[in-house]
Amino acid sequence: MPARALQFSFPRSLRLSMIEQAFGNSPRFSIGIEEEVIILDAESLLLSPSVDALIEESERRELPGRLKTELFASIVELNTDACERVADAGEALSTLRHAAAAIAAEKDLRIAAAGTHPISDPEQEEIASDPRYQEFVGFAGVSARRQGVSGLHVHVGMPSAEACYTTLEAILPWLPLVLALSANSPYLAGRATGLASNRAEILAQLPRSGAPPAFGGYAAWEAFVERLIGLGLADDYTRFWWDVRPHPRFGTLEIRMPDQPTSLPVTVGLTALLQALCSAVVDEPAKVADRGDYAQNRWAALRFGPSAELIHPDGNRLLPVPELARELLELVGPAAEEQGSLGEISALDLTTCEGERQLEIGEREGLQAVCADLVERTLSSA
């Protein structure tokens, strides 16, 4: 018998209220970082559904942010407070990683940062106890159960709602390049699939994924989101899983494109790059990004990582990732210098990605060694 179609049990009457906004309430281009970190059994290094234990203990500590649940009980989300400088956000994130690791160690657990767990099968893992997640799995079925993947989300403070939307369109053509540089999920359920980012391919199975439609302006984005909420298809705009989206309650543009880095300097470098990119383009005239080029580049990036060739944002050239990345650095250089983040960006290697290190260790020493390396490098400053 075919599965019965389910919808979220949200009110169907169209809401009259508009989405709460906080644009302009924080400094321009302030930064907040969200990391999705996996929880492992200390002995087997397989996933452990222990997020509640980590969060409960973290609430007794004074931290520059918080630990939160995610869809899977084996993932803990690390959220920094809003920071004016990338360096401050990096320090806060380092504190959160070490606090989570210390709590985990007390419970015979470990944490590791990566886009996927190299061995454990996401479809067999436990969903977090939050009723919202349980309801979502009932709605989305296996496409939800496959979402045991981890990403880096960067919030950049925006001066206004319209500036947020025009910045979204301006940075969109560059985001597949960011995915290629961040690719860190080459293994899925114990197998090297040949994709540099299994995470990006899995995320694309969700409704409202990939690039957002070309709404033309913030008001049209807001109307679309409000209409779907009113129809009962979602309970909040955070149930729209696009690679980049406005986050009006925070007053930010939320960039959700990168795989979760293992190395903290890579997280900080990508954050600095994205902050500088937003700053460099925020005052440009509004222009709609080509969604066809985006779809092609997104696929090439998740398949080949830094070895991909991507369509240039001007639409007229095909460039290797390292060459296109150098153009991006030229574009953001003045903004990065103004924000004092050139040093953080220089930590990025434009010719490789962390997933390639996973593959090298896996071929040489096996997947258990890959897991051990992820655990070690998650707390390393290198």
Side-chain angles (χ1 to χ4, degrees), residues 6 8 71 126-140 145 239:
L6 298 175
F8 291 116
L71 176 63
E126 186 176 320
I127 301 298
S129 57
D130 189 319
R132 296 177 306 150
Y133 295 137
Q134 300 289 336
E135 187 174 32
F136 172 60
V137 171
F139 170 72
R145 289 199 163 273
R239 297 298 185 101

Side-chain angles (χ1 to χ4, degrees), residues 105-122:
E106 294 169 1
K107 304 177 186 303
D108 294 323
L109 301 168
R110 299 289 184 267
I111 65 164
T116 54
H117 187 279
I119 302 172
S120 296
D121 183 350

Side-chain angles (χ1 to χ4, degrees), residues 281-302:
V281 303
V282 68
D283 294 323
E284 288 186 359
K287 182 182 178 182
V288 177
D290 189 304
R291 267 51 178 186
D293 286 2
Y294 183 88
Q296 167 61 34
N297 280 350
R298 190 183 193 279
W299 179 87
L302 74 85

